[in-house]
Amino acid sequence: MASRSPLIAVYPGTFDPITNGHLDLVQRAAPLFERLVVGVAESPGKGPTLPLAMRVDLARESLSLYPNVEVRGFNSLLAHFVSDVGAGVLLRGLRAVSDFE
């Protein structure tokens, strides 16, 4: 298990597919952290349209301009993934009023 660092953030999601909203959040967050790990969740319960490998590839291609952004697929609990990465920050986007509640 890696120690947690506030300089490492994880941005988790299914990214099915990655959208301009996802890209905007990464663009604004990347300069704030030494390393930003975009965690693409397998999430079979959500019934994603695209397979995990394709979602990871699309995210990597879309985010290749950011040298401190890494894209990784995962199929574990988010808490375990964040711990494995050593992140001290969890990044989430807010889309609707219900996300604030």
Side-chain angles (χ1 to χ4, degrees):
M1 176 185 346
S3 62
R4 287 195 263 165
S5 170
L7 301 177
I8 301 172
V10 167
Y11 178 25
T14 53
F15 302 99
D16 187 37
I18 193 162
T19 66
N20 286 335
H22 296 129
L23 299 176
D24 179 63
L25 193 65
V26 169
Q27 179 183 14
R28 291 185 287 136
L32 303 175
F33 301 98
E34 186 177 288
R35 190 166 142 228
L36 175 58
V37 179
V38 175
V40 183
E42 186 171 33
S43 298
K46 286 187 173 182
T49 305
L50 303 173
L52 178 61
M54 183 178 286
R55 291 183 278 136
V56 168
D57 288 344
L58 289 170
R60 282 186 180 143
E61 186 177 324
S62 299
L63 299 171
S64 63
L65 297 174
Y66 304 97
N68 66 323
V69 174
E70 173 186 350
V71 179
R72 292 175 52 178
F74 71 100
N75 63 359
S76 62
L77 290 175
L78 178 58
H80 294 163
F81 180 71
V82 170
S83 179
D84 290 345
V85 169
V89 175
L90 187 62
L91 183 67
R92 294 296 297 162
L94 301 172
R95 300 170 292 190
V97 173
S98 61
D99 287 341
F100 289 93
E101 296 171 351

